[in-house]
């Protein structure tokens, strides 16, 4: 009985790990296609960034990135 419970937990853990890896692979492929199509020239972040972060985080990180770019330009 105990072996069955342990085996079930291991199986569930492996399924979750596989799911996370598959998602990361899909996001990586999405970013590669985006870069291949020329998105890295004008895009601030790759498409996977918008799938990983919430809207609040995106706004905060965008503001921080723009501010740091402005500081670098002022120093230049």
């Amino acid at each position: 009985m105990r072996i069955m419970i342990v085996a079930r937990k291991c199986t569930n853990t492996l399924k979750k790990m596989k799911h996370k890896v598959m998602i990361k692979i899909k996001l990586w492929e999405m970013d590669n296609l985006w870069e291949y199509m020329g998105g890295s020239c004008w895009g601030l972040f790759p498409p996977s960034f918008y799938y990983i972060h919430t809207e609040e985080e995106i706004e905060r990180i965008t503001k921080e990135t723009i501010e740091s770019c402005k500081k670098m330009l002022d120093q230049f």
Side-chain angles (χ1 to χ4, degrees):
M1 186 67 152
R2 267 190 148 170
I3 295 173
M4 295 291 286
I5 293 171
V6 171
R8 192 175 313 133
K9 285 183 180 181
C10 288
T11 304
N12 288 340
T13 302
L14 289 173
K15 285 181 183 179
K16 288 178 185 177
M17 289 173 59
K18 177 187 171 192
H19 182 69
K20 285 183 180 182
V21 168
M22 295 302 291
I23 288 174
K24 288 189 181 211
I25 289 171
K26 287 183 181 186
L27 291 173
W28 179 76
E29 289 174 347
M30 182 190 315
D31 289 345
N32 282 340
L33 180 63
W34 174 74
E35 189 172 347
Y36 177 73
M37 300 298 278
S40 62
C41 295
W42 298 105
L44 190 57
F45 302 112
S48 64
F49 178 81
Y50 298 99
Y51 283 96
I52 296 172
H53 300 288
T54 63
E55 288 184 31
E56 293 83 19
E57 290 175 331
I58 292 170
E59 289 177 15
R60 179 182 53 81
I61 294 170
T62 302
K63 286 179 184 177
E64 291 173 0
T65 303
I66 291 172
E67 287 176 10
S68 68
C69 290
K70 286 181 181 179
K71 286 180 183 177
M72 288 184 347
L73 284 172
D74 289 342
Q75 291 175 357
F76 183 68

